[in-house]
Structures are given as structure tokens and as C-alpha cells.
Amino acid sequence: NAGVMQNPRHLVRRRGQEARLRCSPMKGHSHVYWYRQLPEEGLKFMVYLQKENIIDESGMPKERFSAEFPKEGPSILRIQQVVRGDSAAYFCASSSGTGRFLSTEAFFGQGTRLTVV
Amino acid sequence: KNEVEQSPQNLTAQEGEFITINCSYSVGISALHWLQQHPGGGIVSLFMLSSGKKKHGRLIATINIQEKHSSLHITASHPRDSAVYICAVAGGSNYKLTFGKGTLLTVNP
């Protein structure tokens, strides 16, 4: 029973390239949440998605960032034209419902460490 | 000023010591969470609190809603407890948490 799977674990991109971060939720979970952890900063909420729907993207930067969670396949966090300030750890979490998130269920992935050079 | 403040930022202890990590917050909350993050690893939820006290093994978490303060205690600390401990509070939505910067705990044998 695999947990939340994120890949890649480490990603290096040059400035201006695109970064694609993948998150496969736990089996049976249809709610996915993305968080970003900047160096020396706490985690910050980015976006909450259900299958084929963005429910809350209030934490997403207005430009260059997008997220999707298609009917089939993993959730993707996409960062276009990366800049050095995008270097961070990006964590994904999943649940079977928002009411269960971190109350009866608490499943985070291992994170993707993005380094922009 | 961060809405969630943790202290200390760094803590070094000898194996067997009693550990306390503190968390203060400035906003109204529906729940407070304690999370554990191992170096280079993922995040594990330890506790969710809305009042009182919870215990799991050697870990104890308390919250004082009136004082907007929570503590995480580790009894008989062990080197495997070395990790970053993160306090996070939930206002309205369960998922839209406000996180502290974390406390790096190192337990030496």
C-alpha cells in the first residue's frame, strides 16, 4: 500500500526552463494539496485540487505556476520559466476528503527539491 | 511577524532528556497540528489538537486556547527523535494551514 509518491525527488533546472513536479496520491484519495517550503521559511499552502478540478489556488503565484489533477494519472505542478527564487522543496499531500485531512488521515509525500541554477 | 512562532529554533539534547518545544500563534484557530520532518525526508503528522492534551508513546502535546499556546514534549528522548518539528494552525479550511518555521531537534547518544 504505497503512500503519496512524488517524483522526481530532486530536480535541477536552469533559469528559464520548465519544471514539472508529479504527485501520485494514496490509493483511494481524490484530494491533493501542494505546499512549498522555501529555504529558512515555513511551509506555505499553494493549491488544492480534486480530480479534474482546482478547488482553491489562493496560494499559487499569479504567473508561471499552474497545477492540474487529471482524471487519470498524477497531479502535476508546473513551473514555467523558472527563476532562482523558485528553488524550494515542494510537498504534496492527499486525503479522501478535506474533513479528513490531517485529522484522521495525514499523508505527505517525500517532497521534490527543486534547484534552479 | 509570523502568525505562528516556534521556540527554540534549534535544540540539542542528550539521549534520555525531557524535551519541550513551544508554539505560539496569533490568530483564531480551529485546530493545531504538530508535524515531524526528517532531514531530506517527508512529513509525518504527530498530533491534531483543538483542546487539552494528547499522548502517543513518548510524545505529549498540549494546547491552551486562551493563551494561544501549545507545547510538544518528548520524554526519554532518543537519537531517532532527531528531526524538525513543525507547528501548524488551521483557521477555516483544514488544508490551508499556517506553518511555523520549525524546531530542529538533535538528540545525541
Side-chain angles (χ1 to χ4, degrees):
Chain A
N1 186 18
V4 179
M5 303 299 292
Q6 288 189 248
N7 68 81
R9 292 289 307 276
H10 300 274
L11 181 61
V12 179
R13 284 287 176 266
R14 295 185 184 279
R15 280 178 296 169
Q17 289 185 319
E18 178 179 286
R20 280 181 176 247
L21 288 62
R22 294 176 195 79
C23 170
S24 295
M26 282 195 66
K27 188 176 180 181
H29 287 185
S30 59
H31 299 245
V32 165
Y33 317 83
W34 285 92
Y35 298 86
R36 178 165 67 171
Q37 187 176 38
L38 291 165
E40 309 301 320
E41 295 292 325
L43 286 146
K44 288 193 180 348
F45 166 76
M46 297 183 77
V47 61
Y48 159 41
L49 309 105
Q50 293 181 25
K51 285 281 187 183
E52 300 184 277
N53 285 301
I54 297 174
I55 307 301
D56 183 348
E57 56 182 348
S58 57
M60 289 277 270
K62 295 287 183 265
E63 297 176 347
R64 303 187 296 108
F65 284 72
S66 62
E68 63 176 7
F69 188 16
K71 188 176 179 182
E72 301 291 336
S75 175
I76 306 285
L77 180 67
R78 182 182 178 207
I79 311 171
Q80 295 178 291
Q81 298 176 313
V82 296
V83 300
R84 288 225 172 100
D86 298 332
S87 296
Y90 293 82
F91 289 91
C92 164
S94 75
S95 73
S96 61
T98 55
R100 293 179 177 273
F101 183 67
L102 280 185
S103 58
T104 57
E105 302 169 347
F107 303 108
F108 281 84
Q110 296 282 306
T112 293
R113 270 80 181 164
L114 172 66
T115 302
V116 179
V117 298
Chain B
K1 186 181 185 300
N2 202 24
E3 292 175 330
V4 178
E5 295 283 349
Q6 287 186 235
S7 63
Q9 286 188 333
N10 295 282
L11 181 56
T12 299
Q14 288 300 122
E15 184 173 355
E17 286 184 1
F18 181 82
I19 304 292
T20 297
I21 299 170
N22 296 298
C23 174
S24 296
Y25 53 92
S26 57
V27 296
I29 68 168
S30 57
L32 181 143
H33 301 270
W34 282 102
L35 310 167
Q36 182 191 56
Q37 183 177 23
H38 281 277
I43 297 167
V44 176
S45 174
L46 299 174
F47 295 104
M48 184 186 82
L49 295 161
S50 53
S51 65
K53 176 181 175 178
K54 286 190 176 178
K55 185 175 189 293
H56 181 69
R58 295 180 295 105
L59 301 177
I60 303 165
T62 63
I63 187 168
N64 184 318
I65 297 293
Q66 286 73 31
E67 295 186 4
K68 292 187 166 61
H69 182 268
S70 175
S71 293
L72 176 69
H73 305 286
I74 305 175
T75 62
S77 60
H78 190 276
R80 64 174 175 266
D81 297 326
S82 298
V84 175
Y85 291 84
I86 301 169
C87 172
V89 299
S93 309
N94 285 1
Y95 57 87
K96 202 177 286 186
L97 300 169
T98 302
F99 295 83
K101 292 186 179 182
T103 294
L104 175 60
L105 171 65
T106 303
V107 182
N108 294 317

